[in-house]
Amino acid sequence: MNQRISFKELFERVERPITVREDNEYSCVGVRWWGKGAFIREIKSGINIRKKNQYLINPGDIVYNKLFAWRGAFAIADQSIVNCIVSDKFPIYRLTSNSINLDYLKILFQSPALASAAEKLSTGMAAISKFTLNPPKFWELTIPCPSIDEQIRTVKIYDEFCKKANEIINASDSLAIKYLELPKVTAYHLAKSYTYVQLRNIGRIIRRNIKIQDDVSYKQVTIAMNNEGVRLREEKLGFEIGVKNQSAVKSGDLLFSRIDIRNGAIGFVPDYLEGAIVANDFPICELNDNVSKRFLNLYFKTNEFREQCIVNSAGATNRKKMKRSNFLSLKVPFPDIDTQESIADRIDEQNNKLKSIEQARVKILENIDYLRHWFLVKVYEGHTF
C-alpha cells in the first residue's frame, strides 16, 4: 500500500472568467461519467447561452462536473479542448505537483472507488439532480501516490490490458454479427430447393369485425420490426380508442404491417394476445392446416423474403405500403408439412447451440468488465503491480 495525497496538495484552482457575447459562437464543454474524458458538448450562439459568466478551459486542465462527481465525472482536458468554455458547474484546476503522472491520474479518474469517495463528500439530493461535490469538498479527495516509476508501470499494464480487451471485444462482436445471421441463411439454403407457392395458395386474408364498446377493455396489438414478432402495444377502454374500425385476432393468426413489412414487421399472434384487436393497416392472414408456422416464420427472416416485401411495397418514400393483393402474391418455399417441421427442428437445434455460444460470449465480456473494475479499484486503494 502507498501513502495517499489529497487533491489540495496536488491541484490549484484556475479561473479564467469570460463574459459571453451574444454575437459570438462558443464551444461548450461537458465531462463524461466514469473518467471517460472532457468533450465538446455543443456549439452555441452567445444569445442562446443563459448564463453570460463562463470560464475558459485549456488543454491539460483538470475539470469535474459538480453534479455528477458521484458518477466519476472527472477529466483531464485534451488537445481538442481549445478556446472552449464551461459554466460554474465545472470547476477547473491545474496540476501543481510533480509527484503524479497525468496518465496515472487518468486511470484514477476512471476508478469507481473515486466516484464512491466523491459520493460520500457530496451533498444535496440526487433525485432532483442537486447532489453536488462543492470545491471545498473536492480538496478532501485523496489518491495513492506511489513512485513515478510505479505509476508508469501501472499505466503500461492498464494500457496493455485495455488493448487486449478491446481486441477480444471487437473480435467477439464481429463473430456475433456473423453467427447471428446463421439461422436465416440456413433457413434460406434448406428451403430454396423446394417449390415456391404464393401465399394466396396456402392462406387467405380475413377480417373479424368487432364493435368497440366504451366500457370494455381491449388489448391493442403492434408488430415489431426486424422480425421481433407480434406484441402488445397497450390496453385501453373502448371510449379511449379513436379508430372504431377494428378487427379481432386469434392465436396463430399471421399479421403484417402494410407500412413496415419491408422492415420485417410480420409475425404470428401469440397465445396471450388471443382476442386482441388490430386496425386496418395490420391485415390478418389465416393459414391452411398444412402450413408449419415455425417454418414460415423462419423464412420470413430471410433476405430473400425481405427483398420481395421491398419490391412489392409502393408509395411515397416514407409511406410505402403493401396492398393486400401484393401480400398474397409473395412467394414462399413449400415442401410437405413433415419436411417443413423437420427444417424448423434443425434450425431450432442450431439456435439452441448458438444461444449457448452467445451466453459464453457474454460471460467473457462480463469477466473483462469485472477485471477492469477490479484493477481500477485496486489502483485507487494504492496497490501496485
Side-chain angles (χ1 to χ4, degrees), residues 223-229 255 257 259-267 300-301 305-306 309:
I223 312 172
M225 292 189 286
N226 296 316
N227 300 99
E228 294 294 329
L255 300 186
S257 164
I259 295 174
D260 283 316
I261 187 173
R262 57 197 170 94
N263 296 314
I266 183 171
F300 289 155
K301 297 177 181 180
F305 183 77
R306 181 74 66 90
C309 294

Side-chain angles (χ1 to χ4, degrees), residues 191-229:
K192 70 175 184 178
S193 59
Y194 296 100
T195 302
Y196 281 65
V197 300
Q198 292 184 335
L199 286 173
R200 62 169 42 89
N201 298 127
I202 58 173
R204 64 190 185 280
I205 288 179
I206 63 169
R207 276 193 64 81
R208 302 187 190 95
N209 292 323
I210 184 169
K211 184 178 180 181
I212 301 295
Q213 300 180 46
D214 288 349
D215 58 347
V216 175
S217 180
Y218 298 91
K219 293 179 180 179
Q220 293 183 298
V221 163
T222 189
I223 312 172
M225 292 189 286
N226 296 316
N227 300 99
E228 294 294 329

Side-chain angles (χ1 to χ4, degrees), residues 227-243:
N227 300 99
E228 294 294 329
V230 177
R231 57 184 62 174
L232 176 68
R233 185 176 70 190
E234 58 188 337
E235 195 163 348
K236 285 184 174 182
L237 288 169
F239 79 88
E240 299 175 295
I241 298 173
V243 178

Side-chain angles (χ1 to χ4, degrees), residues 10-11 13 30 49 51 99 175 178 180-181 202 205 216 221 287 326:
L10 289 174
F11 308 127
R13 184 74 181 268
I49 297 175
K51 288 187 176 181
S99 59
L175 178 63
K178 292 177 181 177
L180 290 174
E181 288 288 303
I202 58 173
I205 288 179
V216 175
V221 163
L287 297 172
N326 284 4

Side-chain angles (χ1 to χ4, degrees), residues 281-339:
D281 270 340
F282 296 93
I284 302 169
C285 183
E286 192 174 65
L287 297 172
N288 299 342
D289 292 336
N290 62 340
V291 179
S292 164
K293 296 178 177 64
R294 290 194 303 146
F295 168 78
L296 210 54
N297 201 42
L298 289 168
Y299 180 71
F300 289 155
K301 297 177 181 180
T302 65
N303 292 334
E304 183 182 53
F305 183 77
R306 181 74 66 90
E307 286 299 320
Q308 286 193 70
C309 294
I310 292 171
V311 169
N312 283 279
S313 297
T317 302
N318 294 324
R319 298 297 295 175
K320 286 187 175 181
K321 287 188 176 184
M322 179 173 288
K323 294 179 179 179
R324 290 165 177 77
S325 58
N326 284 4
F327 175 78
L328 291 174
S329 71
L330 298 176
K331 294 181 178 181
V332 298
F334 196 66
D336 62 75
I337 185 66
D338 290 338
T339 303

Side-chain angles (χ1 to χ4, degrees), residues 4-5 7 10-11 34-35 72 74 76 100-115 142-146 151 154-155 158 375-383:
R4 303 187 73 81
I5 188 168
F7 279 11
L10 289 174
F11 308 127
W34 311 119
F74 299 90
I76 302 170
I100 292 291
N101 175 278
L102 277 177
D103 289 329
Y104 179 73
L105 187 60
K106 286 180 184 178
I107 292 176
L108 290 167
F109 282 172
Q110 295 174 49
S111 177
L114 175 62
T142 65
I143 57 174
C145 187
Q151 292 178 40
T154 298
V155 170
Y158 185 66
F375 186 92
L376 292 171
V377 168
K378 290 301 179 183
V379 171
Y380 180 78
E381 290 175 349
H383 293 269

